[in-house]
């Protein structure tokens, strides 16, 4: 059985991530979508919120009888999780050249720490090449419409958090 892990911040999950998840789930027997917390880049949404957003955005896929997607969360070193669950492959999405340098380095580091950790890159869909969680958050913070970029099931939560964040920033700057 081939088990793949798709790790990321998913802060929040976008249609770009969902595209990679759906395509990767077809390639492997089991796909674990793993919400990680990067201490260098503190997230806007808590791990629980990010897991919940993924579950809601993927509710159609998760409710299928032949569903092979699992959502999980890990706050430690990624490679430890990879080893513990005896996974075979790390899945990553590649958007533009700027993703390449970072993802290439991560793939090499992971393989250096654990020789069996192979990374498979899926190229982004042309339609979501430009899409990132940070762009979604920035648009929402300026009161813009993000409904083309994230599932309708999480749009309101993103708007609410963006409002809270903007209000807090205004107070801090006073
Ligand atoms: P970001 O904060 O940049 O959106 P994440 O850490 O959540 O990124 O990304 C997890 C993985 O998903 C990475 O491999 C990243 O390259 C990929 N990814 C992010 N957005 C997209 C997208 N729009 N299309 C394809 N892959 C993506």
């Amino acid at each position: 059985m081939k088990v793949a892990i798709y790790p990321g911040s998913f802060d929040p999950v976008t249609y770009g991530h969902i595209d990679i998840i759906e395509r990767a789930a077809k390639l492997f027997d089991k796909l674990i979508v793993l919400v990680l917390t990067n201490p260098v880049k503190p997230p806007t949404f808590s791990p629980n919120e990010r897991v919940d957003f993924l579950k809601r955005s993927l509710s159609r896929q998760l409710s299928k009888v032949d569903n092979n997607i699992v959502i999980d969360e890990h706050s430690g070193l990624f490679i430890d999780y990879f080893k513990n669950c005896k996974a075979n492959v790390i899945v990553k999405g590649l958007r533009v050249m700027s993703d390449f340098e970072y993802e290439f380095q991560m793939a090499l580091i992971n393989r250096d720490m654990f020789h069996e950790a192979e990374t498979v890159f899926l190229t982004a869909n042309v339609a979501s090449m430009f899409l990132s969680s940070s762009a979604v958050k920035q648009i929402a913070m300026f009161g813009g419409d993000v409904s083309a970029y994230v599932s309708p099931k999480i749009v309101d939560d993103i708007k609410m958090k963006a409002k809270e964040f903007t209000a807090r920033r205004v107070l801090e700057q006073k």
Side-chain angles (χ1 to χ4, degrees), residues 54-146:
L54 271 159
K55 286 187 176 160
R56 281 197 266 151
S57 304
L58 292 163
S59 57
R60 185 180 51 81
Q61 293 86 337
L62 296 175
S63 64
K64 283 187 182 166
V65 271
D66 59 348
N67 169 54
N68 62 345
I69 304 168
V70 172
I71 320 277
D72 200 4
E73 182 254 317
H74 180 63
S75 54
L77 187 66
F78 166 72
I79 208 68
D80 290 339
Y81 182 99
F82 183 90
K83 278 188 209 166
N84 279 345
C85 71
K86 299 189 170 26
N88 309 94
V89 168
I90 302 165
V91 170
K92 284 306 193 94
L94 270 190
R95 281 163 294 190
V96 272
M97 294 313 285
S98 56
D99 262 349
F100 182 78
E101 214 175 308
Y102 175 75
E103 296 296 357
F104 190 70
Q105 185 191 16
M106 287 312 296
L108 289 177
I109 287 178
N110 282 327
R111 221 161 84 81
D112 193 57
M113 288 190 287
F114 183 51
H115 201 66
E116 286 163 42
E118 292 291 358
T119 302
V120 167
F121 294 104
L122 296 185
T123 50
N125 213 350
V126 176
S128 50
M129 274 290 279
F130 59 89
L131 191 50
S132 69
S133 301
S134 337
V136 166
K137 287 185 284 191
Q138 272 181 38
I139 296 168
M141 279 169 200
F142 285 109
D145 179 13
V146 295

Side-chain angles (χ1 to χ4, degrees), residues 6 10-23 53-54 56-61 95 123-133 136 145-155 158:
Y6 177 37
F10 306 105
D11 188 37
V13 56
T14 69
Y15 281 139
H17 298 122
I18 292 174
D19 171 62
I20 298 290
I21 293 169
E22 287 181 326
R23 286 160 58 205
F53 287 175
L54 271 159
R56 281 197 266 151
S57 304
L58 292 163
S59 57
R60 185 180 51 81
Q61 293 86 337
R95 281 163 294 190
T123 50
N125 213 350
V126 176
S128 50
M129 274 290 279
F130 59 89
L131 191 50
S132 69
S133 301
V136 166
D145 179 13
V146 295
S147 57
Y149 311 127
V150 301
S151 161
K153 291 173 183 148
I154 65 169
V155 167
I158 292 172

